[in-house]
Amino acid sequence: MAVVASGTRERPAPLRLRRRAVVAGIVVLWLVLFALLRGRHTLALAAADLTSLHRWFNDVNDTIGADRNSNPLFLYFFNEIRLVIDTLVTFVQTLISQPPDGRPVPQIGWLGVVAIAGYVSWALGNWRVALLAVAGFTFFGLQGLWQESTDTLALTLSAVLVALLFGIPLGVWAGMSPRVNRVVTPVLDFMQTMPTFVYLAPLTLFFLIGPASATIATLVYAAPPAVRITAHAIRSVPATTVEAAESLGSTRAQTLTKVLLPMSRRTVVMGVNQTIMAALSMVTIAALIDAPGLGKTVVQALQSLDVGTAFNAGLAIVVMAIVLDRVTTAAAVRTERAQRPGGGPRRWRGPLLGAGAVAAAVAVWLSHTYVWAAEFPGEGGAGRSLASAADTVTAWAQDHLSGVTNGIRDVLTTTLLNPFQTLLTDSPWWLTGLVLVALGAVLGGVGAGATAAVCVGLLVGTGLWQDAMTTLASTVVATLLVMLLGVTVGVWMGRSALADRIVRPGLDAAQVMPPFVYLVPFLALFGASRFTAIVAAVVYAAPVTMKIVADGVRGVPATTVEAATAAGSGTWQLVTKVQLPMSRGALVLATNQGLIYVLSMVVVGGLVGAGALGYDVVAGFSQGELYGKGLAAGLAIVLLGVMFDRITQAAAGRTSRVPGGR
């Protein structure tokens, strides 16, 4: 179909065709040179081999360990930070999860914790959320995972508290000062581009392995959403409102406290929600550096391929994520409702909250005083039943579905993954590097090509080129599958309001779950292999791409769709000739987010046989002599993430600047 509504400007066809022709020419030339030069200059490195950079990292680690108690930088800075965080974490743990000295149980036992969770959920949200919180926390005990769950909660709360303590003021500052915002935004972009694994290795170098390092890694990872969303909330307050307050004589501080913060409260609360979700996700992964809690149970179960135990602990993580998400979301809704005329609290709510506070205080006292209210009753029979059921389902699936699952795995591995991985790993490193730089320049411009060149050079310097290319192959294949799924479902959601109402809640729930949880069911279906990591990455990254594509399709002007329909376009023509071309910016953004999510998950898949950089990082934590190699692998992951992000972001920018771009 050649008809597009008047006023809609499409990108000139010769420019699009020329760019596609250049990309096709680069790929064809690559294939020809690969056939001639296959197996040469591949920079292969055996699993146990180390480069001079890896040994230097090991030496730095040893030197820091030897000087930790004598170097002034550690004595008066890093060690002090670790001491403060460790004190905070220990305090919260002794309150709800770990017995302090002189007591056989924590200061607040299970009954008190459940009562506090229910009361806080009611006060911030409503009685339905309170019931969900009480049921969720009780479920942890029935699973036999009470202490693990409260350990995870303690680390999450500690990290969120510190992240918000610094993140919200910095976000307010960035929201009020364009100069600060310009400085902070690139840093936040970089922090959010890095996969979660990458935070762990360098932080253990300065803060050792343990709960303190895990909490520091978590708060560093969780702080960017608080800063970014708070800054956005402050900037979103109408300028006319601010000007009116200033014209009435309000000082800068009064404008902030009386206008900006009250009017942006709901968005700030949503920032708190995102911070909590990010912290919970990171706390589970931080089990790799000896963080206590549910994450450690999942990691140990995955490493021993114990699907039942992993499922039980993974379910607890999902329940905790849902409870925390619902509480903070309900708090944001209540905040918004309170800002409406006549939306204040009802008369009976105050007295009932007072009575609830008294009841919660009594429960806390009982749990502090009596063992029956401190130690969760029972021996976790529900958890054993769940683990046994998961093992039974796994055995059944492996016995009855292995033909199907193995067939899917073998077809995709043989026809797509293996050929592409071979192309990347068996090509001369300089040839693959030149191809990446050329594709970056064609798709994203000179700046993206220069970024790709720098990243390629540094990847070679890490000594892990072949592992990086293996990870790149898995990431690209998974991203292709993500986009296929994302475009298919996203177009359906964008064109159908009913489909959007049905699918979107499920996508929102899927984004709540931490990455570890996705590995468990696919480990049961496909066993420990790189394909397991790829499928888990597809499912993990698909929700965000679906929502972005759906929003892009829905954003196409209705007049344009109506004009195309009046010109005789069918459904297929309408989608392929109008809605998708005009959603090109959303498609590029969806690709960007899909790549970042996939890269993060593929690396986590190192725990279930994905190998490559993910395995290098995990091995670096567990084997001291490979620490330097693990640190270099973390650097390589960052470089891949930066290269992907810059190319796709630049491509999105070029798309939005050309005629017809959105």
Side-chain angles (χ1 to χ4, degrees):
M1 187 196 78
V3 177
V4 179
S6 61
T8 301
R9 296 177 298 169
E10 268 290 295
R11 179 188 295 181
L15 177 61
R16 295 199 307 272
L17 294 175
R18 190 161 56 244
R19 187 170 295 163
R20 292 172 185 171
V22 172
V23 170
I26 291 172
V27 173
V28 170
L29 181 61
W30 185 15
L31 293 173
V32 171
L33 292 176
F34 167 76
L36 297 174
L37 303 171
R38 180 175 183 175
R40 303 179 187 178
H41 310 140
T42 58
L43 302 182
L45 185 71
D49 290 346
L50 303 176
T51 67
S52 56
L53 177 66
H54 306 160
R55 296 189 183 91
W56 183 77
F57 280 151
N58 284 339
D59 292 340
V60 169
N61 186 39
D62 294 339
T63 301
I64 289 176
D67 296 343
R68 190 176 300 278
N69 295 321
S70 58
N71 189 306
L73 185 62
F74 281 88
L75 282 176
Y76 304 110
F77 185 69
F78 292 118
N79 289 358
E80 290 299 317
I81 293 176
R82 185 174 186 274
L83 178 62
V84 170
I85 298 298
D86 192 51
T87 301
L88 173 64
V89 173
T90 301
F91 171 74
V92 178
Q93 283 184 308
T94 56
L95 276 182
I96 62 175
S97 64
Q98 297 285 348
D101 293 337
R103 280 180 61 87
V105 292
Q107 297 288 356
I108 303 175
W110 75 270
L111 185 62
V113 172
V114 171
I116 291 173
Y119 178 74
V120 170
S121 302
W122 182 28
L124 295 178
N126 53 58
W127 63 269
R128 296 181 186 84
V129 178
L131 286 179
L132 174 66
V134 170
F137 275 75
T138 303
F139 182 62
F140 300 147
L142 296 175
Q143 286 181 287
L145 296 171
W146 179 260
Q147 182 167 326
E148 291 86 346
S149 300
T150 50
D151 273 330
T152 296
L153 182 64
L155 264 64
T156 301
L157 293 179
S158 301
V160 168
L161 177 64
V162 179
L164 296 179
L165 186 64
F166 290 96
I168 290 180
L170 182 57
V172 170
W173 190 17
M176 298 182 67
S177 171
R179 180 180 299 176
V180 173
N181 188 60
R182 285 194 298 270
V183 173
V184 168
T185 298
V187 178
L188 298 179
D189 289 342
F190 179 72
M191 292 173 68
Q192 291 192 297
T193 298
M194 290 195 297
T196 49
F197 259 29
V198 176
Y199 287 90
L200 302 182
L203 286 173
T204 59
L205 190 65
F206 297 103
F207 299 107
L208 297 175
I209 288 177
S213 290
T215 306
I216 292 169
T218 300
L219 70 90
V220 170
Y221 180 72
V227 178
R228 191 187 295 275
I229 296 176
T230 301
H232 170 72
I234 297 295
R235 288 195 303 273
S236 298
V237 175
T240 53
T241 305
V242 178
E243 292 169 0
E246 292 174 345
S247 67
L248 293 173
S250 295
T251 64
R252 189 176 178 86
Q254 288 174 324
T255 301
L256 173 63
T257 57
K258 302 296 185 181
V259 178
L260 293 174
L261 287 178
M263 293 191 68
S264 58
R265 190 184 306 156
R266 184 185 188 277
T267 306
V268 171
V269 174
M270 291 308 299
V272 174
N273 169 278
Q274 293 301 301
T275 300
I276 292 174
M277 293 298 99
L280 179 60
S281 174
M282 189 66 187
V283 161
T284 56
I285 292 176
L288 291 169
I289 55 174
D290 204 30
L294 296 168
K296 177 175 284 189
T297 304
V298 174
V299 169
Q300 292 173 346
L302 289 176
Q303 290 176 334
S304 61
L305 303 183
D306 184 353
V307 175
T309 301
F311 175 81
N312 189 39
L315 182 60
I317 294 172
V318 172
V319 171
M320 182 172 292
I322 291 173
V323 169
L324 295 177
D325 178 64
R326 291 300 94 195
V327 170
T328 48
T329 301
V333 172
R334 175 168 291 279
T335 299
E336 182 182 31
R337 188 180 300 144
Q339 292 175 339
R340 299 172 185 167
R346 298 175 181 175
R347 292 181 180 179
W348 48 263
R349 182 171 171 80
L352 284 179
L353 284 175
V358 172
V362 171
V364 169
W365 178 79
L366 290 173
S367 69
H368 178 78
T369 307
Y370 298 101
V371 174
W372 64 266
E375 294 181 346
F376 198 93
E379 300 179 355
R384 289 195 299 273
S385 298
L386 285 170
S388 176
D391 286 332
T392 301
V393 171
T394 299
W396 181 89
Q398 291 173 346
D399 290 340
H400 295 83
L401 301 179
S402 58
V404 176
T405 57
N406 290 344
I408 295 172
R409 181 189 64 195
D410 293 343
V411 167
L412 287 176
T413 300
T414 303
T415 60
L416 189 60
L417 180 58
N418 283 348
F420 187 52
Q421 180 173 313
T422 300
L423 179 64
L424 285 169
T425 57
D426 286 6
S427 293
W429 70 267
W430 51 265
L431 174 59
T432 304
L434 287 174
V435 169
L436 293 174
V437 172
L439 290 176
V442 172
L443 297 175
V446 176
T451 301
V454 172
C455 290
V456 166
L458 293 175
L459 280 171
V460 173
T462 64
L464 296 172
W465 175 262
Q466 198 162 72
D467 282 355
M469 292 302 100
T470 301
T471 297
L472 175 60
S474 298
T475 302
V476 171
V477 168
T479 303
L480 290 174
L481 297 175
V482 165
M483 290 307 300
L484 179 63
L485 188 60
V487 169
T488 302
V489 179
V491 168
W492 180 43
M493 292 171 60
R495 289 174 50 83
S496 169
L498 177 61
D500 189 86
R501 287 196 299 270
I502 294 173
V503 176
R504 192 172 290 266
L507 301 182
D508 293 338
Q511 286 191 278
V512 168
M513 293 190 293
F516 266 12
V517 177
Y518 287 89
L519 291 175
V520 178
F522 298 110
L523 177 65
L525 287 174
F526 298 104
S529 68
R530 56 186 173 160
F531 186 75
T532 300
I534 290 175
V535 177
V538 171
V539 177
Y540 177 60
V544 67
T545 62
M546 291 176 186
K547 291 201 287 189
I548 292 173
V549 172
D551 292 342
V553 170
R554 192 178 300 108
V556 175
T559 53
T560 304
V561 177
E562 291 168 1
T565 304
S569 298
T571 300
W572 177 252
Q573 290 175 314
L574 193 63
V575 170
T576 58
K577 302 296 185 181
V578 178
Q579 290 175 313
L580 284 180
M582 294 190 67
S583 305
R584 192 177 295 113
L587 292 175
V588 178
L589 177 60
T591 304
N592 170 273
Q593 292 299 295
L595 274 168
I596 300 304
Y597 274 66
V598 163
L599 178 61
S600 176
M601 192 65 193
V602 165
V603 172
V604 174
L607 291 168
V608 292
L613 295 177
Y615 172 80
D616 293 334
V617 173
V618 174
F621 292 133
S622 58
Q623 303 176 46
E625 66 276 9
L626 296 179
Y627 178 85
K629 193 172 186 178
L631 197 60
L635 175 60
I637 294 166
V638 172
L639 294 170
L640 286 177
V642 169
M643 183 167 62
F644 287 152
D645 185 63
R646 289 305 95 190
I647 292 174
T648 51
Q649 289 278 19
R654 296 180 73 178
T655 299
S656 64
R657 288 193 298 270
V658 300
R662 287 180 58 82

